[in-house]
Amino acid sequence: MQTRYFTLRDYPQGMPPRELFELHHQELPALDEGEVRIRNTWLSVDPYMRGRMSGVKTYVAPFELNAPLEGAAIGEVVESRHTSFRAGDKVRHMAGWRDVAQLKGDVLEPLPDMDVPDQTFLGVLGMPGMTAWTGLNRIAHLREGDNVLVSAASGAVGSLVVQLAKAKGGTVVGIAGAADKLEWLEQHGIHAVSYKSKDARQLGDALRDACREGFDVYFENVGGDCLEAALDNLKVGARIAVCGLISRYNSEAPDRGPSNLSNLLVQRAHMQGFIVADHWIEYPHFLEEVGPRVARGEIDYAETVEEGLERTPDAFLKLFEGANRGKMLVRL
């Protein structure tokens, strides 16, 4: 059996050009003992992948040039020499950016037995959903009645954050850009604030108008002006969960730091970054709490789907254009 996969030709500076991604073909060898062959059906592309294209080790090793790229994927077992898997089993793994994966069975996760579409385990019930739940509950220590601010509030992570926070009864404000994203937030009882055509001061004023009391929790996905505006609207004892800083992922020079960082001191606020992989042991608790709500239709989640393996780099690059609402996926 043959596999097709994408590689990265060089480490980009700034926004990666499409031509850095190359599609290759390879004949797969016969399975060794303990190996499993999977035909991928869904691929995930995520903002964190841009960091792996920098050539620098951060919390995860960089992608190797001219080697198959990696990412979360869901597929169906077509052949197995591992005792835990057989043909027809559906699994989740990290050998994305390809149509057929051949892996040791020990790195595969069987899909949970829940009445939800398979691809939700790459989105609202996968890494993005787990990130939202972890940031709110384990980092920001969300409490009943908390006022919550969320940047990138209609994205794969932010869209679940605002819904989980709303259920706690406080004022929830979401920052987004496109008109349809702002409308989605308003439809769900979230005060929507656009960052378009606003500097940090103007955005801060808009946030103050949306929530005069200030925020107990800020869920940070963006950085830049969003962070500076948020720092001007904290309550005493506020907690900031830093999930991502997408505004700087393609920057070619160091970003200017917030001019009002002293507000952390003035408001006795706590700001903590987190990586969801460090908390994955709690995934069953997340799934137990959020999974049934998704299955019952109580959580509204969006997916933006590109069709075909060839569109994987395009789907990835669209993440930095704000072209997706909810989870960006590739269907094979």
Side-chain angles (χ1 to χ4, degrees), residues 20-239:
L20 284 190
F21 301 91
E22 288 190 335
L23 185 61
H24 296 263
H25 299 70
Q26 179 186 353
E27 197 69 31
L28 290 168
L31 290 180
D32 284 337
E33 190 66 32
E35 285 190 328
V36 178
R37 186 173 292 167
I38 307 107
R39 187 180 302 280
N40 288 335
T41 53
W42 291 92
L43 308 179
S44 174
V45 290
D46 300 281
Y48 82 87
M49 294 175 175
R50 177 61 184 87
R52 297 194 68 186
M53 296 176 187
S54 67
V56 178
K57 186 181 187 303
T58 55
Y59 61 87
V60 64
F63 287 130
E64 184 180 341
L65 294 181
N66 303 309
L69 291 169
E70 300 171 335
I74 283 172
E76 183 174 315
V77 173
V78 293
E79 187 178 353
S80 175
R81 294 192 63 191
H82 191 283
T83 55
S84 297
F85 298 97
R86 60 184 180 180
D89 288 348
K90 294 181 178 181
V91 296
R92 179 170 57 187
H93 57 85
M94 287 301 294
W97 293 77
R98 69 197 82 184
D99 55 4
V100 179
Q102 189 160 313
L103 301 166
K104 292 288 188 182
D106 296 344
V107 302
L108 304 178
E109 293 179 83
L111 282 198
D113 184 16
M114 302 188 72
D115 187 20
V116 296
D118 292 349
Q119 71 271 19
T120 60
F121 294 106
L122 294 178
V124 67
L125 294 180
M127 182 271 288
M130 176 64 177
T131 300
W133 182 88
T134 299
L136 278 179
N137 293 289
R138 298 296 181 259
I139 307 301
H141 304 290
L142 181 66
R143 298 188 288 256
E144 291 286 341
D146 274 348
N147 295 341
V148 179
L149 173 64
V150 185
S151 57
S154 68
V157 174
S159 59
L160 181 58
V161 173
V162 295
Q163 292 180 78
L164 295 178
K166 184 68 178 176
K168 292 292 186 179
T171 297
V172 182
V173 177
I175 302 172
D180 63 320
K181 297 179 180 182
L182 297 167
E183 182 181 356
W184 181 88
L185 291 167
E186 293 286 358
Q187 289 172 349
H188 289 77
I190 312 302
H191 295 264
V193 173
S194 174
Y195 64 82
K196 296 287 188 180
S197 303
K198 293 184 178 73
D199 59 22
R201 181 187 59 78
Q202 293 166 329
L203 182 56
D205 290 343
L207 296 179
R208 192 170 301 109
D209 290 340
C211 184
R212 288 287 176 180
E213 297 176 349
F215 298 100
D216 301 282
V217 169
Y218 175 42
F219 197 105
E220 172 66 291
N221 288 306
V222 175
D225 287 344
C226 289
L227 175 57
E228 188 156 337
L231 289 172
D232 275 338
N233 285 276
L234 300 179
K235 293 173 71 174
V236 171
R239 292 91 66 200

